[in-house]
């Protein structure tokens, strides 16, 4: 399998790239700048410079040509303002989805966040509120598409603790935390299970091994 990952030098993306290449898959990591390519190479993946905030859908589709699947794991990141939450976390995700459709890459997994379908509560930091709204809008736009076999993965608060390989995964997950390493493991498992297309899944640490947790989400 050849998988193209937007935000290829991010912490989750690099761990996913390691998992994919270790099992013999091809992984391509899209990065904004050439100097961000080293972590992708270190994961034995192929770095490709592509700025989702300035590229066209056709340009991104060119990088997706020949892929079997795609993962959107990009984001404006810490320290960015509300404007970039919209141009990256919303518009970047929607552009990547459109590019997948143009390239004929139906399988798309999007890394989102818990509780983005709700209006942020009063007192929420304005930039974080902009992030939640951007993620919610992107998810809604992608879920409205019928030309993609999408899965939306919504992790809880991300940590850099070692993964346990045990999670809670499902539509009814409440807010908690999850190691990035376990998020990457779930992404790899979702790539292996096309029957998860059309699902929006929350993810936090739990007691169920990742393969069993993914299987449990499948429609009866």
């Amino acid at each position: 399998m050849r998988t193209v990952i937007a935000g290829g030098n991010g912490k989750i993306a690099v761990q996913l790239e390691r998992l994919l290449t270790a099992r013999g898959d091809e992984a391509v990591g899209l990065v904004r700048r050439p100097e961000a390519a080293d972590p992708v190479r270190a994961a034995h993946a192929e770095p490709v410079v592509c700025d989702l905030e300035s590229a066209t859908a056709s340009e991104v589709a060119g990088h997706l040509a020949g892929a079997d699947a795609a993962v959107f794991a990009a984001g404006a990141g810490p320290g960015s303002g509300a404007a970039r939450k919209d141009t990256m976390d919303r518009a970047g995700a929607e552009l990547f989805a459109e590019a997948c459709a143009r390239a004929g890459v139906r399988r798309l997994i999007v890394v989102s966040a818990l509780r983005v379908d709700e209006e942020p509560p009063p007192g929420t930091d304005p930039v974080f509120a902009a992030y939640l709204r951007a993620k919610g809008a992107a998810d809604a736009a992608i879920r409205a598409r019928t030309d993609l076999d999408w899965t939306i993965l919504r992790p809880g608060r991300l940590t850099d603790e070692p993964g346990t390989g045990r999670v809670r995964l499902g539509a009814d997950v409440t807010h908690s935390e999850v190691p990035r390493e376990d998020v990457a493991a779930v992404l790899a498992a979702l790539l292996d299970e096309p029957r998860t297309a059309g699902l929006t899944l929350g993810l936090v640490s739990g007691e169920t091994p990742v393969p069993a947790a993914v299987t449990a989400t499948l429609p009866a």
Side-chain angles (χ1 to χ4, degrees):
M1 178 181 289
R2 180 177 175 87
T3 302
V4 176
I5 304 166
N9 63 316
K11 291 182 178 180
I12 292 173
V14 168
Q15 296 199 56
L16 175 60
E17 288 155 7
R18 289 189 187 125
L19 290 174
L20 297 179
T21 58
R23 70 187 195 184
D25 286 2
E26 295 180 42
V28 177
L30 302 186
V31 298
R32 289 184 64 207
R33 302 176 305 277
E35 56 268 28
D38 286 348
V40 181
R41 291 193 188 95
H44 305 288
E46 175 190 349
V48 172
V49 177
C50 177
D51 184 353
L52 294 178
E53 290 177 280
S54 61
T56 66
S58 294
E59 289 169 344
V60 181
H63 299 309
L64 285 154
D68 300 292
V71 176
F72 184 83
S80 57
R84 287 205 63 224
K85 305 305 184 188
D86 184 69
T87 59
M88 184 68 257
D89 292 276
R90 181 197 61 78
E94 293 180 24
L95 175 76
F96 193 65
E98 174 63 21
C100 286
R102 294 191 188 192
V105 182
R106 289 194 61 94
R107 187 66 173 126
L108 170 64
I109 301 176
V110 175
V111 180
S112 183
L114 284 176
R115 302 173 72 175
V116 298
D117 289 333
E118 309 167 13
E119 179 62 17
T124 302
D125 173 78
V127 175
F128 187 62
Y131 166 79
L132 294 174
R133 293 188 184 104
K135 281 292 192 185
D139 288 2
I142 290 168
R143 286 188 291 184
R145 301 193 72 118
T146 59
D147 51 358
L148 295 173
D149 297 326
W150 51 262
T151 302
I152 307 291
L153 182 64
R154 292 176 166 177
R157 188 177 68 83
L158 299 170
T159 76
D160 290 321
E161 296 297 316
T164 66
R166 294 178 177 272
V167 299
R168 184 180 175 199
L169 181 70
D172 59 345
V173 169
T174 55
H175 196 69
S176 186
E177 61 185 27
V178 61
R180 288 177 172 86
E181 186 176 349
D182 284 336
V183 178
V186 170
L187 289 170
L190 291 173
L191 286 169
D192 289 340
E193 184 44 88
R195 290 177 293 173
T196 57
L199 299 181
T200 300
L201 302 169
L203 171 65
V204 295
S205 293
E207 300 300 324
T208 307
V210 167
V214 170
T215 299
T217 68
L218 299 178

